[in-house]
Amino acid sequence: MKVAFWSNSSGRAGTTSNMACISVICSLLNKKSILFENHYSLNGLDQALVNRKKSPVALLREEFSFYDPIGIDALLRRIHSNHTYEQLMEDISMKFLDDKLYYLPKNVNLNQEYFEYELNQVIKPLMEYLDKRFDLVFIDTAANDVLSTKTILEEADLVVANLCQNKAVLEHFFTNYASIIDKSVILIGNYQEQSRFHLRNIRRRYQITKEQVGMIPFNMEFADAASSGRLVEFLVRNFSCQKQDENYSFIYQAKRAANMILAQLEDREVCVESGC
């Protein structure tokens, strides 16, 4: 199943760290997942997942900076050349959690406009290919000015709309994106209960159910981990923490959000199979 994490407000809702968090939790729940992004960002998946002080893959990527042998760039070349896909993902992916979580990195030296153009040419077959080989395909999807975004939102089985507790952002989404609301769930990033726009008020104001909205609380330790390549380590270490632990509330809510997304995907899969 294909899941697009997207936001109408760049940089406010923590879209990238939210997706990385949910994908790690789903992998810990025994879902084989892959994630990639359709854009460049200073705070991208690479920053959250790859601890460059430890990673030998990082050194490999630096050595091959001109012709990167791994990542989504390598996959795009193989798609264009009709390359056979045997062992392809093993060769070009970074893997975590006993190979339950795959990440397709980008070559940071590749021209951004060229990357976006090339990805746009193959995004649909790419999503179809990954969907056949993984339980979950997570795409960190940029705003609509990126070429492939429209296709990703159309082809995704579920759109996770990452919003924040800001009235203008909430109003903008519910006013301007009616076309994707039916296939969306809402995820409030950097959530703070003290805000006037807490979950109960959001559900009431925009007439959405508990099953359609979740949140990722603000947590400083998680934020630090996500900015230094230690996100996987943080979630694994705290995944089974107890109520007395200072990170329990964060982990509890993140698990709830992941289970909400999995439940929505299961409903959609059943619907597709039954022809509804």
Side-chain angles (χ1 to χ4, degrees):
M1 301 292 278
K2 305 176 292 294
V3 187
F5 273 67
W6 168 87
S7 179
N8 64 328
S9 178
S10 178
R12 287 189 162 192
T15 305
T16 299
S17 60
N18 290 348
M19 190 183 87
C21 177
I22 296 297
S23 67
V24 169
I25 291 175
C26 288
S27 296
L28 291 170
L29 294 173
N30 210 34
K31 298 290 186 181
K32 188 175 182 180
S33 306
I34 187 164
L35 56 163
F36 69 94
E37 53 214 323
N38 77 327
H39 60 101
Y40 280 82
S41 171
L42 289 175
N43 301 311
L45 290 169
D46 191 87
Q47 184 184 55
L49 297 173
V50 184
N51 187 340
R52 298 201 170 279
K53 292 182 179 179
K54 294 183 179 181
S55 173
V57 179
L59 299 177
L60 178 68
R61 291 186 65 205
E62 290 174 7
E63 181 179 349
F64 287 91
S65 60
F66 177 73
Y67 187 79
D68 200 337
I70 68 170
I72 194 167
D73 316 316
L75 181 56
L76 293 178
R77 287 194 293 273
R78 284 159 173 79
I79 289 176
H80 279 312
S81 62
N82 295 317
H83 191 280
T84 59
Y85 294 114
E86 294 298 323
Q87 292 297 311
L88 181 57
M89 300 313 300
E90 302 300 322
D91 295 338
I92 66 174
S93 302
M94 300 176 70
K95 296 177 282 292
F96 306 88
L97 302 172
D98 296 324
D99 296 353
K100 280 291 183 183
L101 182 66
Y102 285 61
Y103 165 48
L104 285 173
K106 301 183 307 297
N107 183 344
V108 296
N109 296 307
L110 195 67
N111 178 273
Q112 180 174 342
E113 291 183 0
Y114 173 79
F115 167 76
E116 291 176 358
Y117 174 81
E118 288 292 305
L119 180 62
N120 187 58
Q121 302 306 301
V122 297
I123 186 62
K124 188 172 180 178
L126 173 63
M127 291 173 70
E128 291 173 353
Y129 163 69
L130 296 176
D131 191 32
K132 292 175 182 177
R133 288 155 179 81
F134 293 88
D135 298 323
L136 298 169
V137 181
F138 291 101
I139 309 109
D140 180 4
T141 309
N144 288 331
D145 57 346
V146 173
L147 292 171
S148 58
T149 288
K150 182 175 184 292
T151 302
I152 292 171
L153 294 180
E154 289 173 349
E155 295 296 319
D157 298 295
L158 182 70
V159 175
V160 179
N162 293 258
L163 307 178
C164 62
Q165 291 165 287
N166 177 285
K167 182 180 179 182
V169 171
L170 292 165
E171 292 287 345
H172 181 263
F173 173 75
F174 286 101
T175 301
N176 294 283
Y177 293 97
S179 61
I180 64 171
I181 287 177
D182 286 345
K183 64 183 301 183
S184 299
V185 293
I186 310 301
L187 189 61
I188 308 297
N190 295 315
Y191 181 83
Q192 299 193 49
E193 183 63 31
Q194 298 81 6
S195 170
R196 171 187 170 194
F197 293 96
H198 52 73
L199 282 189
R200 295 181 300 280
N201 280 348
I202 291 172
R203 290 199 304 264
R204 186 183 309 116
R205 184 182 185 94
Y206 300 105
Q207 299 182 333
I208 52 179
T209 67
K210 289 182 179 180
E211 292 74 28
Q212 294 174 288
V213 60
M215 55 91 155
I216 302 291
F218 176 78
N219 178 287
M220 184 57 72
E221 189 175 348
F222 172 75
D224 288 344
S227 67
S228 57
R230 297 181 293 107
L231 183 145
V232 175
E233 174 190 336
F234 170 82
L235 291 171
V236 170
R237 176 164 41 86
N238 289 282
F239 190 71
S240 300
C241 66
Q242 304 300 308
K243 285 187 176 181
Q244 64 271 19
D245 192 285
E246 62 181 354
N247 291 315
Y248 176 80
S249 177
F250 174 86
I251 294 295
Y252 175 78
Q253 293 296 345
K255 285 180 178 178
R256 284 191 64 181
N259 282 313
M260 173 194 70
I261 289 168
L262 290 173
Q264 290 284 339
L265 288 170
E266 184 176 345
D267 287 347
R268 282 162 171 73
E269 189 171 26
V270 170
C271 188
V272 168
E273 291 174 354
S274 64
C276 61

